[in-house]
Amino acid sequence: MSWPAATSLLAPLAPWFERVRRELPWRAADLDATHPDPYAVLVSELMLQQTQVATVVPYFTRWLDEFPDPRALANAEDDAVHKAWEGLGYYRRARFLKASAASVAAEGWPTDLGGLAKLPGLGPYTAAAMGAIAFQWPTPALDGNAFRVLARLLLIEGDPKDRAAELRSWLTPALEALGPSRLTQALMELGATVCTPAPACGGCPVADRCGAHHAGRTGAIPPVVKRAKATTSTLWLLAIEAEGHVLLHPPAPRGLLAGLWRWPTLEAATHPPQPTALNPQPITAWPGWTQVYTHRREAVSPLHLVLAERFTPAAGKRWMPRAELHGLPLGKRDQRLRDLLGTAGQVPLEAPDLQVLIKACAGPSV
Ligand code: SF4
């Protein structure tokens, strides 16, 4: 490894960050002291996994109003925790946050990086970021942004994640010299605002020493990782209502949508549309949309079906009072149908066979 010393290479980042830093509600004013509220750092780091800063800010503020410390979060009802997270996606993070808060409330904050990494949901990056930002430990936090910045600065060919161990050793003295919290946040900020995938090198405080910039190779470093093609499914999204109740799936304990209530869905391929005139029940539809997940896309067609009476639901489904719908945690897709129910829809020209559809949602006694 023939990289220049990290402390001198990265030194301009410290004054640059002091000058340009955005005021964020979880950022401490004094970057040389330990953070006055490590819990705020924990909440922000978990929220910022997979979610943009601008989206996180209002959630963070509401979260700290509702759950101001680890004990309050540890004692909260699961539904209240999921409700407060509603709209942020990746709900596992909310459950990890609650479990981490329970650990901290019971045993106090860990005293080293290994202890932080054992808190649920932290992983090596978040534990290192917590160590540096909350506790001023020189623990190098390498996320996608940091890898991109360092790969370009050091002209690293190939996937910089393969050099993670070397990069951590290289970065540690600079964290000690320039301040763990300051340098960690400066690298994050540079990657988020200047050294983005299409970098703005003209405004970069380390452009004069950047290998990729000098070599004219910022577009090639780091190499773009091709994502697997997302699969698409086509679904009917069903709000079935009877006697002031709506049919829902209660939260599952595990999986992508764990902790969330869900509307029933049926594959359009096995429930093809037919002329609505053949259906005896009143039905309302709204324009469909494509719900995008990380590795999956769903083309959903929302329907609202009103029946005279409730039927016995199939296993895994439950009638819930419609009046309680706004108090239940729902994912983005299901919130959208919940909100459509308060708007005027249309009688669709085509819909699936509703008798078959009801049978698919009903228990064996129907
Ligand atoms: S000069 Fe450009 S490529 Fe290099 S670190 Fe700065 S923004 Fe990134």
Side-chain angles (χ1 to χ4, degrees):
M1 176 175 88
S2 57
W3 297 333
T7 305
S8 52
L9 187 79
L10 301 176
L13 288 182
W16 170 80
F17 181 64
E18 297 283 2
R19 207 171 57 248
V20 303
R21 55 183 277 183
R22 295 172 283 176
E23 289 313 315
L24 299 172
W26 51 84
R27 268 194 179 151
D30 183 354
L31 295 178
D32 292 307
T34 54
H35 197 287
D37 185 3
Y39 170 69
V41 182
L42 178 69
V43 174
S44 69
E45 284 299 326
L46 267 288
M47 285 187 171
L48 288 165
Q49 290 175 1
Q50 327 264 1
T51 308
Q52 303 279 331
V53 168
T55 306
V56 164
V57 168
Y59 278 91
F60 173 87
T61 306
R62 284 196 299 270
W63 189 275
L64 259 74
D65 284 345
E66 193 167 353
F67 314 115
D69 54 45
R71 188 162 305 282
L73 179 56
N75 292 336
E77 295 289 333
D78 285 353
D79 265 5
V81 172
H82 285 114
K83 189 71 191 164
W85 199 273
E86 192 177 81
L88 270 181
Y90 300 96
Y91 288 79
R92 256 163 35 121
R93 295 178 294 168
R95 293 189 292 285
F96 283 145
L97 193 47
K98 185 181 173 192
S100 290
S103 169
V104 171
E107 298 169 29
W109 286 100
T111 53
D112 59 20
L113 182 62
L116 279 179
K118 285 195 189 114
L119 289 178
L122 261 61
Y125 163 74
T126 309
M130 271 291 294
I133 297 170
F135 302 115
Q136 296 285 4
W137 301 338
T139 47
L142 299 178
D143 67 346
N145 279 345
F147 276 122
R148 183 174 59 249
V149 171
L150 298 180
R152 286 171 172 168
L153 273 172
L154 300 170
L155 203 60
I156 294 174
E157 302 287 348
D159 186 349
K161 292 194 178 91
D162 295 342
R163 314 283 295 273
E166 286 168 84
L167 283 169
R168 285 196 190 95
S169 308
W170 175 80
L171 196 52
T172 300
L175 290 165
E176 284 164 347
L178 303 172
S181 177
R182 180 181 295 104
L183 183 56
T184 300
Q185 294 189 73
L187 274 171
M188 287 177 176
E189 192 84 356
L190 189 74
T193 61
V194 180
C195 194
T196 56
C201 302
C204 178
V206 283
D208 62 340
R209 55 200 67 195
C210 174
H213 178 55
H214 284 309
R217 301 197 52 221
T218 56
I221 293 180
V224 177
V225 179
K226 283 205 182 101
R227 286 194 175 193
K229 203 164 179 286
T231 56
T232 302
S233 49
T234 305
L235 303 173
W236 300 109
L237 184 62
L238 306 170
I240 302 177
E241 182 171 354
E243 302 177 277
H245 287 65
V246 288
L247 191 67
L248 292 168
H249 289 282
R254 280 179 292 282
L256 189 67
L257 299 175
L260 302 175
W261 293 78
R262 289 176 293 124
W263 298 109
T265 55
L266 288 173
E267 291 278 350
T270 50
H271 295 81
Q274 60 176 16
T276 301
L278 296 180
N279 278 315
Q281 282 87 5
I283 188 162
T284 307
W286 295 267
W289 69 89
T290 300
Q291 196 71 39
V292 179
Y293 303 90
T294 312
H295 301 298
R296 199 160 53 87
R297 297 159 71 89
E298 285 177 351
V300 295
S301 298
L303 296 176
H304 181 204
L305 171 62
V306 181
L307 305 178
E309 292 179 346
R310 279 177 275 175
F311 52 78
T312 304
K317 296 186 180 68
R318 194 189 300 171
W319 291 106
M320 292 295 290
R322 181 169 167 178
E324 292 179 14
L325 203 45
H326 276 269
L328 300 175
L330 304 176
K332 276 197 175 152
R333 179 198 70 186
D334 298 312
Q335 285 171 43
R336 192 156 166 181
L337 175 53
R338 176 198 65 195
D339 296 341
L340 283 172
L341 291 180
T343 68
Q346 291 182 335
V347 176
L349 294 175
E350 291 188 321
D353 183 323
L354 298 183
Q355 293 304 331
V356 174
L357 179 149
I358 290 166
K359 273 203 163 52
C361 295
S365 61
V366 171

